[in-house]
Amino acid sequence: MNTATQKQLKKNIKRASAVMGIGEKELTERAMRFYLASVEREVALQNELDAWEQVSDEAFLTMEKALR
């Protein structure tokens, strides 16, 4: 991350924590928990989609064999 981005991020954290009335550390921890929960849901969705794709592929192969 470049220095300008880091400075802007620190400024945004400082402003948001002041508005919310919580410390910067608490705000950062909440943001990380929120982000990680979002990533976990995305991974779970991708795993489910992969499982459905595998089932679909298996069903297609079974149908192809039955048509021969």
Side-chain angles (χ1 to χ4, degrees), residues 5-39:
T5 303
Q6 287 177 332
K7 286 180 182 178
Q8 186 62 45
L9 183 59
K10 286 180 182 181
K11 183 178 176 182
N12 290 346
I13 290 170
K14 187 173 197 132
R15 186 176 345 119
S17 69
V19 168
M20 294 177 69
I22 60 175
E24 292 176 28
K25 183 178 178 181
E26 175 68 19
L27 176 76
T28 303
E29 289 174 358
R30 286 184 188 186
M32 288 301 297
R33 283 194 301 270
F34 179 81
Y35 175 75
L36 292 173
S38 174
V39 169

Side-chain angles (χ1 to χ4, degrees), residues 54-68:
Q54 183 177 355
V55 168
S56 173
D57 291 346
E58 290 170 4
F60 181 73
L61 290 173
T62 301
M63 182 187 72
E64 261 190 340
K65 287 178 184 177
L67 293 175
R68 290 182 187 168

